[in-house]
Amino acid sequence: QAQLLESGPGLVKPSETLSLTCTVSGDSISNYYWSWIRQSPEKGLEWLANIYHSGSTDYNPSLESRVTISVDTSKNQFSLSLSSVTAADTAVYYCARLQTPGYFDYWGQGALVTVSS
Amino acid sequence: DIQMTQSPSSLSAFVGDRVTIACRASQNIRNYLSWYQQKPGKAPKLLIYSASSLQSGVPSRFSGSGSGTDFTLTITSLQPEDFATYYCCQYSFGTPWTFGRGTKVEVK
């Protein structure tokens, strides 16, 4: 079964770019869509973006101007970048596998990212 | 965006109780609904997809029903390990995925 693990800095300064990577094991990243979701007390669970191994992407319109998702099939990884962060972007960020027609069947353990100077 | 409203926001129950959690969508999502269980400090876990399909490995005491705008998650006999927060999520084509705010199931 698939295992997902998020990695990246736990602290990001305001106005900078948050970058996270999800490493997938036990499954080929080329077989599915993959997603980023975040959770905060203020907004609850919030879907951010999806990517397919071909590079096809979907973004949450509320964040689309700041979010980029990318995939590296050679490393079986996909990544998230969120620019111009503010304290409102402080959250636990999860990567997940997106199963057709649209549910998340495997999740990473989550990575807490705090935006603070 | 499609809004997902869960009720109640929290409930207290005994082990062995039947528990029902409701989720209402702000527009018709057919059966494009999933349910997740989350325990403190852990990632959400998929329980139900396509409104009523039980994810592999999930105990049969969990069931889902509904279509259109009204959905229900039922736990037929609550077990100690079921005390957690439950979320619904819609995935209607062409719209952003959106989650409910959660229902916390606590021990009575």
Side-chain angles (χ1 to χ4, degrees):
Chain A
Q1 63 181 26
Q3 294 185 315
L4 293 79
L5 183 65
E6 304 90 350
S7 59
L11 181 65
V12 181
K13 290 182 168 57
S15 80
E16 295 190 344
T17 296
L18 177 161
S19 296
L20 292 171
T21 295
C22 183
T23 301
V24 179
S25 57
D27 196 2
S28 171
I29 205 164
S30 297
N31 294 338
Y32 295 94
Y33 279 86
W34 304 90
S35 304
W36 286 99
I37 298 154
R38 69 182 181 181
Q39 185 174 29
S40 65
E42 295 77 22
K43 295 186 178 180
L45 287 161
E46 182 180 25
W47 167 74
L48 302 179
N50 300 333
I51 192 164
Y52 196 51
H53 69 88
S54 63
S56 171
T57 57
D58 299 301
Y59 291 108
N60 191 321
S62 68
L63 294 161
E64 190 164 8
S65 63
R66 298 196 293 130
V67 174
T68 303
I69 188 171
S70 59
V71 65
D72 186 338
T73 55
S74 68
K75 295 182 178 179
N76 230 38
Q77 294 176 335
F78 62 104
S79 298
L80 175 77
S81 291
L82 180 64
S83 64
S84 305
V85 297
T86 69
D89 296 309
T90 294
V92 176
Y93 287 74
Y94 294 102
C95 58
R97 191 176 81 173
L98 179 61
Q99 185 68 271
T100 303
Y103 54 92
F104 308 104
D105 62 347
Y106 288 99
W107 296 62
Q109 64 184 19
L112 173 61
V113 180
T114 301
V115 179
S116 176
S117 55
Chain B
D1 296 0
I2 297 175
Q3 306 303 313
M4 305 301 293
T5 304
Q6 282 186 240
S7 60
S9 57
S10 66
L11 64 90
S12 298
F14 291 107
V15 171
D17 280 353
R18 178 186 180 96
V19 169
T20 300
I21 298 168
C23 179
R24 174 166 288 178
S26 61
Q27 62 190 73
N28 186 349
I29 59 169
R30 297 166 61 181
N31 69 334
Y32 294 131
L33 185 100
S34 52
W35 288 97
Y36 301 86
Q37 176 194 66
Q38 187 177 35
K39 296 181 179 179
K42 301 295 186 182
K45 172 189 173 184
L46 176 68
L47 300 175
I48 302 285
Y49 61 93
S50 298
S52 60
S53 295
L54 190 68
Q55 171 68 353
S56 175
V58 174
S60 59
R61 63 182 179 272
F62 291 93
S63 65
S65 64
S67 67
T69 60
D70 292 299
F71 302 87
T72 300
L73 174 71
T74 300
I75 311 171
T76 53
S77 178
L78 197 65
Q79 297 302 299
E81 60 269 29
D82 300 337
F83 292 98
T85 301
Y86 294 85
Y87 296 92
C88 60
C89 177
Q90 69 80 24
Y91 45 95
S92 184
F93 180 76
T95 67
W97 280 252
T98 48
F99 292 82
R101 292 292 296 185
T103 296
K104 186 174 185 179
V105 177
E106 298 176 298
V107 64
K108 197 167 189 178

